[in-house]
Amino acid sequence: MTFSEHLLQLRKSRGLKQPELAEKIGLSWRGYQNYELGLREPKMSTLIALADFYNLSLDELVCRKR
């Protein structure tokens, strides 16, 4: 699973729309949408906000496996 696919899955599992999630973590809707579409990669501060929101480690958030 790609990072963008994982973001989509996480958001939908919480029953949120993109604008709702973007607001909760302090992003513009369009900015967040670009992450789900795989057009851009988030900054570290955004990754941390997403991991905190979903209560995941950064490794879990970005689908990193050892």
Side-chain angles (χ1 to χ4, degrees):
M1 176 180 302
T2 66
F3 173 65
S4 58
E5 292 169 337
H6 193 218
L7 281 181
L8 175 65
Q9 180 186 43
L10 287 167
R11 180 179 57 79
K12 287 191 171 191
S13 73
R14 305 292 192 292
L16 296 169
K17 298 200 180 299
Q18 287 178 342
E20 294 171 320
L21 177 59
E23 183 179 330
K24 288 180 183 293
I25 61 169
L27 294 176
S28 70
W29 163 71
R30 185 67 71 187
Y32 177 78
Q33 183 183 49
N34 285 331
Y35 303 145
E36 276 195 13
L37 293 173
L39 300 175
R40 296 192 65 186
E41 292 184 359
K43 294 181 191 180
M44 180 60 72
S45 59
T46 302
L47 289 171
I48 291 169
L50 285 164
D52 287 348
F53 179 79
Y54 288 120
N55 197 30
L56 298 171
S57 71
L58 288 173
D59 283 345
E60 291 169 320
L61 179 69
V62 300
C63 305
R64 182 171 181 252
K65 296 179 183 166
R66 292 185 171 202

